Amino acid sequence: MDRYMLDTPFDFIRNPKEVFKALLESQEHGTAIGIKSGILGKGMFVTVVDEILIGDGRENTTIILRGYDFTGHVLATNSVPLTEIEGVCKFSSKFGNPFLKTLSKILKI
């Protein structure tokens, strides 16, 4: 198991069925989800699931994420095979657009 996964204060879900369920909830409800996958880079990226492309089972299922994380950082890719997701962390808050939040603060809307 990855040392990062042991040292984090977050409760990561690693069971494949539970990971899929959490990703589906993020898509259905627009809630933020933390994703740990080497394809995205090192660490956890908090974003939202835009779409789930079901293949012929777990092996060919692809998760389409929003193209940026909650800080506005553009992700290296927004397409992640389900088999490449090491763990997820569910959040109950809605995922908002960080660009609009910043713009609203600047314009004082």
Side-chain angles (χ1 to χ4, degrees):
M1 184 181 300
D2 185 314
R3 180 168 160 60
Y4 172 81
M5 295 289 274
L6 297 174
D7 291 344
T8 182
F10 298 105
D11 186 21
F12 275 91
I13 299 167
R14 292 185 291 277
N15 175 287
K17 286 183 181 180
E18 294 299 315
V19 166
F20 184 77
K21 183 179 173 185
L23 294 166
L24 191 57
E25 286 176 17
S26 174
Q27 178 191 16
E28 289 177 350
H29 302 291
T31 51
I33 190 158
I35 298 181
K36 171 93 169 83
S37 174
I39 289 177
L40 297 174
K42 188 172 180 144
M44 177 178 72
F45 295 86
V46 179
T47 187
V48 66
V49 175
D50 278 338
E51 192 172 358
I52 298 176
L53 305 175
I54 305 293
D56 59 350
R58 180 169 149 66
E59 297 300 317
N60 294 315
T61 298
T62 302
I63 309 303
I64 306 298
L65 306 170
R66 192 69 45 94
Y68 49 85
D69 71 3
F70 79 103
T71 67
H73 171 78
V74 176
L75 301 176
T77 181
N78 73 327
S79 176
V80 180
L82 181 58
T83 55
E84 294 295 321
I85 295 176
E86 299 168 35
V88 297
C89 183
K90 293 179 8 176
F91 295 98
S92 58
S93 60
K94 295 280 187 184
F95 183 80
N97 186 325
F99 304 111
L100 292 179
K101 286 181 186 176
T102 302
L103 186 59
S104 294
K105 287 179 184 177
I106 292 170
L107 298 176
K108 304 209 188 289
I109 296 175

PDB file of all heavy atoms in Angstrom, residues 1-14 33-38 40-46 69-70 85-89 91:
ATOM      1  N   MET A   1       0.837  -1.183   0.000  1.00  0.00           N
ATOM      2  CA  MET A   1       0.000   0.000   0.000  1.00  0.00           C
ATOM      3  C   MET A   1       0.881   1.246   0.000  1.00  0.00           C
ATOM      4  O   MET A   1       1.888   1.312   0.666  1.00  0.00           O
ATOM      5  CB  MET A   1      -0.923  -0.009   1.210  1.00  0.00           C
ATOM      6  CG  MET A   1      -1.885   1.151   1.205  1.00  0.00           C
ATOM      7  SD  MET A   1      -2.984   1.199   2.628  1.00  0.00           S
ATOM      8  CE  MET A   1      -3.821  -0.341   2.453  1.00  0.00           C
ATOM      9  N   ASP A   2       0.472   2.218  -0.718  1.00  0.00           N
ATOM     10  CA  ASP A   2       1.172   3.489  -0.864  1.00  0.00           C
ATOM     11  C   ASP A   2       1.283   4.201   0.491  1.00  0.00           C
ATOM     12  O   ASP A   2       0.314   4.297   1.227  1.00  0.00           O
ATOM     13  CB  ASP A   2       0.366   4.328  -1.865  1.00  0.00           C
ATOM     14  CG  ASP A   2       1.009   5.640  -2.224  1.00  0.00           C
ATOM     15  OD1 ASP A   2       1.469   6.342  -1.310  1.00  0.00           O
ATOM     16  OD2 ASP A   2       1.023   5.966  -3.419  1.00  0.00           O
ATOM     17  N   ARG A   3       2.474   4.707   0.811  1.00  0.00           N
ATOM     18  CA  ARG A   3       2.695   5.424   2.075  1.00  0.00           C
ATOM     19  C   ARG A   3       1.774   6.623   2.195  1.00  0.00           C
ATOM     20  O   ARG A   3       1.265   6.934   3.259  1.00  0.00           O
ATOM     21  CB  ARG A   3       4.157   5.852   2.175  1.00  0.00           C
ATOM     22  CG  ARG A   3       4.484   6.605   3.446  1.00  0.00           C
ATOM     23  CD  ARG A   3       5.993   6.734   3.627  1.00  0.00           C
ATOM     24  NE  ARG A   3       6.414   7.768   4.504  1.00  0.00           N
ATOM     25  CZ  ARG A   3       6.125   7.912   5.778  1.00  0.00           C
ATOM     26  NH1 ARG A   3       5.311   7.080   6.352  1.00  0.00           N
ATOM     27  NH2 ARG A   3       6.614   8.899   6.501  1.00  0.00           N
ATOM     28  N   TYR A   4       1.518   7.310   1.088  1.00  0.00           N
ATOM     29  CA  TYR A   4       0.633   8.472   1.102  1.00  0.00           C
ATOM     30  C   TYR A   4      -0.754   8.102   1.631  1.00  0.00           C
ATOM     31  O   TYR A   4      -1.363   8.825   2.389  1.00  0.00           O
ATOM     32  CB  TYR A   4       0.510   9.072  -0.306  1.00  0.00           C
ATOM     33  CG  TYR A   4      -0.537  10.143  -0.393  1.00  0.00           C
ATOM     34  CD1 TYR A   4      -0.261  11.437   0.033  1.00  0.00           C
ATOM     35  CD2 TYR A   4      -1.819   9.866  -0.849  1.00  0.00           C
ATOM     36  CE1 TYR A   4      -1.235  12.417  -0.002  1.00  0.00           C
ATOM     37  CE2 TYR A   4      -2.785  10.831  -0.900  1.00  0.00           C
ATOM     38  CZ  TYR A   4      -2.494  12.107  -0.484  1.00  0.00           C
ATOM     39  OH  TYR A   4      -3.455  13.076  -0.523  1.00  0.00           O
ATOM     40  N   MET A   5      -1.245   6.953   1.222  1.00  0.00           N
ATOM     41  CA  MET A   5      -2.576   6.527   1.620  1.00  0.00           C
ATOM     42  C   MET A   5      -2.638   6.293   3.137  1.00  0.00           C
ATOM     43  O   MET A   5      -3.681   6.442   3.733  1.00  0.00           O
ATOM     44  CB  MET A   5      -2.974   5.246   0.890  1.00  0.00           C
ATOM     45  CG  MET A   5      -3.121   5.401  -0.607  1.00  0.00           C
ATOM     46  SD  MET A   5      -4.546   6.337  -1.107  1.00  0.00           S
ATOM     47  CE  MET A   5      -5.757   5.035  -1.120  1.00  0.00           C
ATOM     48  N   LEU A   6      -1.525   5.931   3.759  1.00  0.00           N
ATOM     49  CA  LEU A   6      -1.510   5.677   5.191  1.00  0.00           C
ATOM     50  C   LEU A   6      -1.376   6.952   6.008  1.00  0.00           C
ATOM     51  O   LEU A   6      -1.855   7.018   7.135  1.00  0.00           O
ATOM     52  CB  LEU A   6      -0.354   4.725   5.526  1.00  0.00           C
ATOM     53  CG  LEU A   6      -0.438   3.333   4.918  1.00  0.00           C
ATOM     54  CD1 LEU A   6       0.844   2.562   5.223  1.00  0.00           C
ATOM     55  CD2 LEU A   6      -1.640   2.572   5.451  1.00  0.00           C
ATOM     56  N   ASP A   7      -0.728   7.977   5.466  1.00  0.00           N
ATOM     57  CA  ASP A   7      -0.439   9.190   6.218  1.00  0.00           C
ATOM     58  C   ASP A   7      -1.481  10.295   6.062  1.00  0.00           C
ATOM     59  O   ASP A   7      -1.330  11.362   6.623  1.00  0.00           O
ATOM     60  CB  ASP A   7       0.929   9.758   5.786  1.00  0.00           C
ATOM     61  CG  ASP A   7       2.066   8.861   6.243  1.00  0.00           C
ATOM     62  OD1 ASP A   7       1.851   8.010   7.115  1.00  0.00           O
ATOM     63  OD2 ASP A   7       3.172   9.021   5.705  1.00  0.00           O
ATOM     64  N   THR A   8      -2.524  10.064   5.321  1.00  0.00           N
ATOM     65  CA  THR A   8      -3.507  11.106   5.073  1.00  0.00           C
ATOM     66  C   THR A   8      -4.579  11.137   6.155  1.00  0.00           C
ATOM     67  O   THR A   8      -4.944  10.090   6.691  1.00  0.00           O
ATOM     68  CB  THR A   8      -4.149  10.918   3.680  1.00  0.00           C
ATOM     69  OG1 THR A   8      -5.063  11.987   3.460  1.00  0.00           O
ATOM     70  CG2 THR A   8      -4.876   9.606   3.566  1.00  0.00           C
ATOM     71  N   PRO A   9      -5.108  12.320   6.477  1.00  0.00           N
ATOM     72  CA  PRO A   9      -6.186  12.398   7.458  1.00  0.00           C
ATOM     73  C   PRO A   9      -7.539  12.020   6.855  1.00  0.00           C
ATOM     74  O   PRO A   9      -8.517  11.913   7.566  1.00  0.00           O
ATOM     75  CB  PRO A   9      -6.166  13.863   7.881  1.00  0.00           C
ATOM     76  CG  PRO A   9      -5.642  14.586   6.692  1.00  0.00           C
ATOM     77  CD  PRO A   9      -4.641  13.645   6.066  1.00  0.00           C
ATOM     78  N   PHE A  10      -7.597  11.825   5.544  1.00  0.00           N
ATOM     79  CA  PHE A  10      -8.847  11.506   4.873  1.00  0.00           C
ATOM     80  C   PHE A  10      -9.126  10.008   4.925  1.00  0.00           C
ATOM     81  O   PHE A  10      -8.226   9.192   4.928  1.00  0.00           O
ATOM     82  CB  PHE A  10      -8.809  11.969   3.410  1.00  0.00           C
ATOM     83  CG  PHE A  10      -8.659  13.449   3.273  1.00  0.00           C
ATOM     84  CD1 PHE A  10      -7.442  13.992   2.888  1.00  0.00           C
ATOM     85  CD2 PHE A  10      -9.714  14.304   3.536  1.00  0.00           C
ATOM     86  CE1 PHE A  10      -7.294  15.362   2.766  1.00  0.00           C
ATOM     87  CE2 PHE A  10      -9.575  15.668   3.411  1.00  0.00           C
ATOM     88  CZ  PHE A  10      -8.353  16.209   3.032  1.00  0.00           C
ATOM     89  N   ASP A  11     -10.396   9.679   4.929  1.00  0.00           N
ATOM     90  CA  ASP A  11     -10.824   8.285   4.943  1.00  0.00           C
ATOM     91  C   ASP A  11     -11.062   7.837   3.501  1.00  0.00           C
ATOM     92  O   ASP A  11     -12.122   8.092   2.937  1.00  0.00           O
ATOM     93  CB  ASP A  11     -12.099   8.152   5.774  1.00  0.00           C
ATOM     94  CG  ASP A  11     -12.529   6.718   5.962  1.00  0.00           C
ATOM     95  OD1 ASP A  11     -11.674   5.813   5.817  1.00  0.00           O
ATOM     96  OD2 ASP A  11     -13.716   6.499   6.243  1.00  0.00           O
ATOM     97  N   PHE A  12     -10.064   7.197   2.902  1.00  0.00           N
ATOM     98  CA  PHE A  12     -10.168   6.771   1.510  1.00  0.00           C
ATOM     99  C   PHE A  12     -10.944   5.469   1.390  1.00  0.00           C
ATOM    100  O   PHE A  12     -10.782   4.553   2.187  1.00  0.00           O
ATOM    101  CB  PHE A  12      -8.776   6.568   0.897  1.00  0.00           C
ATOM    102  CG  PHE A  12      -8.177   7.829   0.374  1.00  0.00           C
ATOM    103  CD1 PHE A  12      -7.387   8.609   1.190  1.00  0.00           C
ATOM    104  CD2 PHE A  12      -8.402   8.237  -0.927  1.00  0.00           C
ATOM    105  CE1 PHE A  12      -6.827   9.780   0.721  1.00  0.00           C
ATOM    106  CE2 PHE A  12      -7.856   9.401  -1.412  1.00  0.00           C
ATOM    107  CZ  PHE A  12      -7.066  10.181  -0.588  1.00  0.00           C
ATOM    108  N   ILE A  13     -11.771   5.417   0.372  1.00  0.00           N
ATOM    109  CA  ILE A  13     -12.496   4.195   0.018  1.00  0.00           C
ATOM    110  C   ILE A  13     -11.645   3.491  -1.029  1.00  0.00           C
ATOM    111  O   ILE A  13     -11.243   4.108  -2.019  1.00  0.00           O
ATOM    112  CB  ILE A  13     -13.884   4.539  -0.554  1.00  0.00           C
ATOM    113  CG1 ILE A  13     -14.715   5.283   0.483  1.00  0.00           C
ATOM    114  CG2 ILE A  13     -14.584   3.278  -1.056  1.00  0.00           C
ATOM    115  CD1 ILE A  13     -15.956   5.938  -0.082  1.00  0.00           C
ATOM    116  N   ARG A  14     -11.360   2.211  -0.816  1.00  0.00           N
ATOM    117  CA  ARG A  14     -10.514   1.474  -1.763  1.00  0.00           C
ATOM    118  C   ARG A  14     -11.197   0.233  -2.347  1.00  0.00           C
ATOM    119  O   ARG A  14     -10.744  -0.305  -3.341  1.00  0.00           O
ATOM    120  CB  ARG A  14      -9.202   1.089  -1.083  1.00  0.00           C
ATOM    121  CG  ARG A  14      -8.334   2.299  -0.788  1.00  0.00           C
ATOM    122  CD  ARG A  14      -6.989   1.904  -0.216  1.00  0.00           C
ATOM    123  NE  ARG A  14      -7.077   1.364   1.123  1.00  0.00           N
ATOM    124  CZ  ARG A  14      -7.133   2.078   2.238  1.00  0.00           C
ATOM    125  NH1 ARG A  14      -7.130   3.381   2.175  1.00  0.00           N
ATOM    126  NH2 ARG A  14      -7.192   1.497   3.411  1.00  0.00           N
ATOM    127  N   ILE A  33     -15.493  15.093  -4.967  1.00  0.00           N
ATOM    128  CA  ILE A  33     -14.899  13.801  -4.636  1.00  0.00           C
ATOM    129  C   ILE A  33     -13.386  13.919  -4.766  1.00  0.00           C
ATOM    130  O   ILE A  33     -12.886  14.519  -5.718  1.00  0.00           O
ATOM    131  CB  ILE A  33     -15.460  12.665  -5.514  1.00  0.00           C
ATOM    132  CG1 ILE A  33     -15.018  11.299  -4.980  1.00  0.00           C
ATOM    133  CG2 ILE A  33     -15.107  12.850  -6.983  1.00  0.00           C
ATOM    134  CD1 ILE A  33     -15.896  10.161  -5.426  1.00  0.00           C
ATOM    135  N   GLY A  34     -12.686  13.401  -3.777  1.00  0.00           N
ATOM    136  CA  GLY A  34     -11.226  13.362  -3.825  1.00  0.00           C
ATOM    137  C   GLY A  34     -10.802  12.082  -4.509  1.00  0.00           C
ATOM    138  O   GLY A  34     -11.303  11.013  -4.170  1.00  0.00           O
ATOM    139  N   ILE A  35      -9.910  12.192  -5.491  1.00  0.00           N
ATOM    140  CA  ILE A  35      -9.472  11.016  -6.238  1.00  0.00           C
ATOM    141  C   ILE A  35      -7.967  10.897  -6.177  1.00  0.00           C
ATOM    142  O   ILE A  35      -7.244  11.867  -6.398  1.00  0.00           O
ATOM    143  CB  ILE A  35      -9.929  11.092  -7.707  1.00  0.00           C
ATOM    144  CG1 ILE A  35     -11.451  11.115  -7.758  1.00  0.00           C
ATOM    145  CG2 ILE A  35      -9.371   9.929  -8.519  1.00  0.00           C
ATOM    146  CD1 ILE A  35     -12.037  11.164  -9.133  1.00  0.00           C
ATOM    147  N   LYS A  36      -7.509   9.689  -5.869  1.00  0.00           N
ATOM    148  CA  LYS A  36      -6.076   9.368  -5.865  1.00  0.00           C
ATOM    149  C   LYS A  36      -5.838   8.428  -7.031  1.00  0.00           C
ATOM    150  O   LYS A  36      -6.356   7.324  -7.076  1.00  0.00           O
ATOM    151  CB  LYS A  36      -5.701   8.697  -4.538  1.00  0.00           C
ATOM    152  CG  LYS A  36      -4.308   8.120  -4.503  1.00  0.00           C
ATOM    153  CD  LYS A  36      -3.332   9.110  -3.950  1.00  0.00           C
ATOM    154  CE  LYS A  36      -1.997   8.479  -3.649  1.00  0.00           C
ATOM    155  NZ  LYS A  36      -1.116   8.366  -4.764  1.00  0.00           N
ATOM    156  N   SER A  37      -5.068   8.905  -8.012  1.00  0.00           N
ATOM    157  CA  SER A  37      -4.716   8.096  -9.183  1.00  0.00           C
ATOM    158  C   SER A  37      -3.410   8.623  -9.747  1.00  0.00           C
ATOM    159  O   SER A  37      -3.249   9.840  -9.926  1.00  0.00           O
ATOM    160  CB  SER A  37      -5.810   8.184 -10.259  1.00  0.00           C
ATOM    161  OG  SER A  37      -5.397   7.507 -11.428  1.00  0.00           O
ATOM    162  N   GLY A  38      -2.487   7.728 -10.027  1.00  0.00           N
ATOM    163  CA  GLY A  38      -1.207   8.122 -10.605  1.00  0.00           C
ATOM    164  C   GLY A  38      -1.351   8.847 -11.930  1.00  0.00           C
ATOM    165  O   GLY A  38      -0.502   9.666 -12.291  1.00  0.00           O
ATOM    166  N   LEU A  40      -3.452  11.141 -12.635  1.00  0.00           N
ATOM    167  CA  LEU A  40      -3.688  12.558 -12.359  1.00  0.00           C
ATOM    168  C   LEU A  40      -2.452  13.246 -11.785  1.00  0.00           C
ATOM    169  O   LEU A  40      -2.310  14.456 -11.891  1.00  0.00           O
ATOM    170  CB  LEU A  40      -4.856  12.712 -11.379  1.00  0.00           C
ATOM    171  CG  LEU A  40      -6.213  12.215 -11.875  1.00  0.00           C
ATOM    172  CD1 LEU A  40      -7.232  12.293 -10.751  1.00  0.00           C
ATOM    173  CD2 LEU A  40      -6.656  13.012 -13.087  1.00  0.00           C
ATOM    174  N   GLY A  41      -1.581  12.476 -11.178  1.00  0.00           N
ATOM    175  CA  GLY A  41      -0.396  13.029 -10.539  1.00  0.00           C
ATOM    176  C   GLY A  41      -0.326  12.546  -9.101  1.00  0.00           C
ATOM    177  O   GLY A  41      -1.097  11.702  -8.662  1.00  0.00           O
ATOM    178  N   LYS A  42       0.614  13.111  -8.359  1.00  0.00           N
ATOM    179  CA  LYS A  42       0.816  12.706  -6.974  1.00  0.00           C
ATOM    180  C   LYS A  42      -0.152  13.461  -6.062  1.00  0.00           C
ATOM    181  O   LYS A  42      -0.329  14.661  -6.194  1.00  0.00           O
ATOM    182  CB  LYS A  42       2.253  12.994  -6.556  1.00  0.00           C
ATOM    183  CG  LYS A  42       2.596  12.437  -5.216  1.00  0.00           C
ATOM    184  CD  LYS A  42       4.060  12.559  -4.919  1.00  0.00           C
ATOM    185  CE  LYS A  42       4.311  11.985  -3.548  1.00  0.00           C
ATOM    186  NZ  LYS A  42       5.560  11.313  -3.443  1.00  0.00           N
ATOM    187  N   GLY A  43      -0.767  12.751  -5.165  1.00  0.00           N
ATOM    188  CA  GLY A  43      -1.676  13.371  -4.215  1.00  0.00           C
ATOM    189  C   GLY A  43      -3.128  13.115  -4.553  1.00  0.00           C
ATOM    190  O   GLY A  43      -3.458  12.315  -5.422  1.00  0.00           O
ATOM    191  N   MET A  44      -3.997  13.818  -3.846  1.00  0.00           N
ATOM    192  CA  MET A  44      -5.434  13.702  -4.049  1.00  0.00           C
ATOM    193  C   MET A  44      -5.919  14.940  -4.789  1.00  0.00           C
ATOM    194  O   MET A  44      -5.523  16.053  -4.472  1.00  0.00           O
ATOM    195  CB  MET A  44      -6.157  13.596  -2.703  1.00  0.00           C
ATOM    196  CG  MET A  44      -7.664  13.545  -2.844  1.00  0.00           C
ATOM    197  SD  MET A  44      -8.546  13.374  -1.278  1.00  0.00           S
ATOM    198  CE  MET A  44      -8.335  14.992  -0.557  1.00  0.00           C
ATOM    199  N   PHE A  45      -6.796  14.730  -5.749  1.00  0.00           N
ATOM    200  CA  PHE A  45      -7.377  15.823  -6.510  1.00  0.00           C
ATOM    201  C   PHE A  45      -8.872  15.855  -6.233  1.00  0.00           C
ATOM    202  O   PHE A  45      -9.558  14.857  -6.413  1.00  0.00           O
ATOM    203  CB  PHE A  45      -7.104  15.642  -8.008  1.00  0.00           C
ATOM    204  CG  PHE A  45      -5.647  15.727  -8.327  1.00  0.00           C
ATOM    205  CD1 PHE A  45      -4.831  14.604  -8.238  1.00  0.00           C
ATOM    206  CD2 PHE A  45      -5.070  16.938  -8.675  1.00  0.00           C
ATOM    207  CE1 PHE A  45      -3.479  14.680  -8.508  1.00  0.00           C
ATOM    208  CE2 PHE A  45      -3.717  17.022  -8.941  1.00  0.00           C
ATOM    209  CZ  PHE A  45      -2.920  15.897  -8.857  1.00  0.00           C
ATOM    210  N   VAL A  46      -9.367  17.009  -5.780  1.00  0.00           N
ATOM    211  CA  VAL A  46     -10.786  17.150  -5.453  1.00  0.00           C
ATOM    212  C   VAL A  46     -11.484  17.803  -6.640  1.00  0.00           C
ATOM    213  O   VAL A  46     -11.174  18.926  -7.027  1.00  0.00           O
ATOM    214  CB  VAL A  46     -10.991  17.984  -4.174  1.00  0.00           C
ATOM    215  CG1 VAL A  46     -12.483  18.131  -3.869  1.00  0.00           C
ATOM    216  CG2 VAL A  46     -10.264  17.347  -3.003  1.00  0.00           C
ATOM    217  N   ASP A  69      -9.538  21.015 -10.671  1.00  0.00           N
ATOM    218  CA  ASP A  69      -9.865  20.665  -9.292  1.00  0.00           C
ATOM    219  C   ASP A  69     -10.463  21.873  -8.577  1.00  0.00           C
ATOM    220  O   ASP A  69     -10.680  22.918  -9.195  1.00  0.00           O
ATOM    221  CB  ASP A  69      -8.643  20.095  -8.564  1.00  0.00           C
ATOM    222  CG  ASP A  69      -7.567  21.115  -8.255  1.00  0.00           C
ATOM    223  OD1 ASP A  69      -7.752  22.323  -8.543  1.00  0.00           O
ATOM    224  OD2 ASP A  69      -6.527  20.717  -7.718  1.00  0.00           O
ATOM    225  N   PHE A  70     -10.723  21.744  -7.279  1.00  0.00           N
ATOM    226  CA  PHE A  70     -11.414  22.806  -6.544  1.00  0.00           C
ATOM    227  C   PHE A  70     -10.608  24.092  -6.421  1.00  0.00           C
ATOM    228  O   PHE A  70     -11.159  25.141  -6.119  1.00  0.00           O
ATOM    229  CB  PHE A  70     -11.843  22.308  -5.155  1.00  0.00           C
ATOM    230  CG  PHE A  70     -10.748  22.291  -4.134  1.00  0.00           C
ATOM    231  CD1 PHE A  70     -10.680  23.271  -3.159  1.00  0.00           C
ATOM    232  CD2 PHE A  70      -9.783  21.293  -4.140  1.00  0.00           C
ATOM    233  CE1 PHE A  70      -9.667  23.263  -2.216  1.00  0.00           C
ATOM    234  CE2 PHE A  70      -8.784  21.271  -3.211  1.00  0.00           C
ATOM    235  CZ  PHE A  70      -8.716  22.257  -2.243  1.00  0.00           C
ATOM    236  N   ILE A  85      -7.876   4.028 -10.526  1.00  0.00           N
ATOM    237  CA  ILE A  85      -8.213   4.811  -9.339  1.00  0.00           C
ATOM    238  C   ILE A  85      -7.842   3.997  -8.104  1.00  0.00           C
ATOM    239  O   ILE A  85      -8.353   2.905  -7.886  1.00  0.00           O
ATOM    240  CB  ILE A  85      -9.700   5.201  -9.329  1.00  0.00           C
ATOM    241  CG1 ILE A  85      -9.983   6.135 -10.513  1.00  0.00           C
ATOM    242  CG2 ILE A  85     -10.076   5.857  -8.001  1.00  0.00           C
ATOM    243  CD1 ILE A  85     -11.436   6.526 -10.668  1.00  0.00           C
ATOM    244  N   GLU A  86      -6.906   4.534  -7.321  1.00  0.00           N
ATOM    245  CA  GLU A  86      -6.402   3.844  -6.134  1.00  0.00           C
ATOM    246  C   GLU A  86      -7.333   4.015  -4.938  1.00  0.00           C
ATOM    247  O   GLU A  86      -7.397   3.152  -4.064  1.00  0.00           O
ATOM    248  CB  GLU A  86      -5.018   4.374  -5.778  1.00  0.00           C
ATOM    249  CG  GLU A  86      -3.996   4.152  -6.874  1.00  0.00           C
ATOM    250  CD  GLU A  86      -2.709   4.929  -6.640  1.00  0.00           C
ATOM    251  OE1 GLU A  86      -2.315   5.074  -5.460  1.00  0.00           O
ATOM    252  OE2 GLU A  86      -2.122   5.389  -7.626  1.00  0.00           O
ATOM    253  N   GLY A  87      -8.011   5.145  -4.885  1.00  0.00           N
ATOM    254  CA  GLY A  87      -8.917   5.405  -3.777  1.00  0.00           C
ATOM    255  C   GLY A  87      -9.662   6.699  -3.993  1.00  0.00           C
ATOM    256  O   GLY A  87      -9.236   7.553  -4.767  1.00  0.00           O
ATOM    257  N   VAL A  88     -10.804   6.830  -3.320  1.00  0.00           N
ATOM    258  CA  VAL A  88     -11.587   8.054  -3.393  1.00  0.00           C
ATOM    259  C   VAL A  88     -11.997   8.479  -1.992  1.00  0.00           C
ATOM    260  O   VAL A  88     -12.052   7.670  -1.064  1.00  0.00           O
ATOM    261  CB  VAL A  88     -12.854   7.900  -4.279  1.00  0.00           C
ATOM    262  CG1 VAL A  88     -12.489   7.587  -5.708  1.00  0.00           C
ATOM    263  CG2 VAL A  88     -13.807   6.875  -3.726  1.00  0.00           C
ATOM    264  N   CYS A  89     -12.277   9.743  -1.856  1.00  0.00           N
ATOM    265  CA  CYS A  89     -12.740  10.310  -0.602  1.00  0.00           C
ATOM    266  C   CYS A  89     -13.998  11.116  -0.915  1.00  0.00           C
ATOM    267  O   CYS A  89     -13.948  12.057  -1.706  1.00  0.00           O
ATOM    268  CB  CYS A  89     -11.651  11.197  -0.008  1.00  0.00           C
ATOM    269  SG  CYS A  89     -12.091  11.895   1.587  1.00  0.00           S
ATOM    270  N   PHE A  91     -17.098  13.687  -0.393  1.00  0.00           N
ATOM    271  CA  PHE A  91     -17.423  14.928   0.296  1.00  0.00           C
ATOM    272  C   PHE A  91     -18.912  15.190   0.093  1.00  0.00           C
ATOM    273  O   PHE A  91     -19.473  14.822  -0.940  1.00  0.00           O
ATOM    274  CB  PHE A  91     -16.607  16.100  -0.256  1.00  0.00           C
ATOM    275  CG  PHE A  91     -15.135  15.964  -0.005  1.00  0.00           C
ATOM    276  CD1 PHE A  91     -14.285  15.474  -0.981  1.00  0.00           C
ATOM    277  CD2 PHE A  91     -14.587  16.318   1.218  1.00  0.00           C
ATOM    278  CE1 PHE A  91     -12.920  15.338  -0.761  1.00  0.00           C
ATOM    279  CE2 PHE A  91     -13.221  16.182   1.454  1.00  0.00           C
ATOM    280  CZ  PHE A  91     -12.393  15.702   0.465  1.00  0.00           C
TER     281      PHE A  91
END
